Amino acid sequence: MSEAIYNTCFACGQENEKGLKLKFSYDNNMAISEYVVAKDYEGYPNITHGGIVATILDEAMAKIILYKDVVAVTGEMTVKYRRALKVETPIKIYGEIIEQRSRTIKTRGKIEQDGKIIAEANATYIKVKK
């Protein structure tokens, strides 16, 4: 399996000047990334904007789907914010598939910082034709 590349994607596109430029590796059917959120993406001072947190989680869950050579779009996503995500501090990001059906894929994702869970998400993706 290999990761599909979308160079202009806001979350992972390496050619998107304003994007996050997330990079993932894959292990045990899980997408994994280490990242540091820049101050450009803060809401309150020194705290990452909640929309960016949701974007990071969505990307992690979508990446494991793409790694399985399936194209799917987010149908529904629920995010549980547990703590504020500090900017300019390393995080670990995880995304995994928990269930697949003929048209949908259910996933789970999480972000950790300083050994604590910052946010968790569950999502349902809808498969689309390539």
Side-chain angles (χ1 to χ4, degrees):
M1 310 251 152
S2 65
E3 176 184 348
I5 305 296
Y6 298 98
N7 289 320
T8 58
C9 172
F10 173 75
C12 70
Q14 300 303 302
E15 295 176 14
N16 186 326
E17 291 178 24
K18 297 178 183 176
L20 300 174
K21 296 181 175 53
L22 293 165
K23 294 180 182 178
F24 287 84
S25 60
Y26 303 90
D27 186 35
N28 291 331
N29 292 315
M30 189 173 290
I32 303 166
S33 182
E34 293 186 3
Y35 188 69
V36 175
V37 179
K39 280 189 79 67
D40 294 342
Y41 302 112
E42 70 182 8
Y44 292 115
N46 300 312
I47 296 174
T48 304
H49 189 283
I52 297 299
V53 172
T55 299
I56 291 169
L57 287 164
D58 185 39
E59 188 67 13
M61 294 182 290
K63 280 298 189 187
I64 193 61
I65 294 170
L66 287 168
Y67 182 71
K68 300 290 186 176
D69 201 30
V70 176
V71 176
V73 295
T74 311
E76 180 179 32
M77 184 171 81
T78 304
V79 179
K80 186 169 194 172
Y81 298 89
R82 296 185 173 276
R83 293 175 173 77
L85 177 60
K86 296 177 271 184
V87 298
E88 299 183 330
T89 304
I91 61 174
K92 291 185 180 178
I93 308 159
Y94 304 91
E96 65 181 322
I97 294 171
I98 55 175
E99 181 182 312
Q100 290 191 63
R101 296 183 181 248
S102 61
R103 292 194 60 234
T104 62
I105 301 171
K106 293 187 184 255
T107 61
R108 175 174 41 223
K110 71 178 176 178
I111 299 172
E112 295 178 350
Q113 188 173 58
D114 297 327
K116 297 177 182 163
I117 296 175
I118 300 299
E120 299 173 289
N122 289 293
T124 300
Y125 290 81
I126 311 301
K127 294 178 185 178
V128 295
K129 293 180 181 178
K130 290 185 182 181

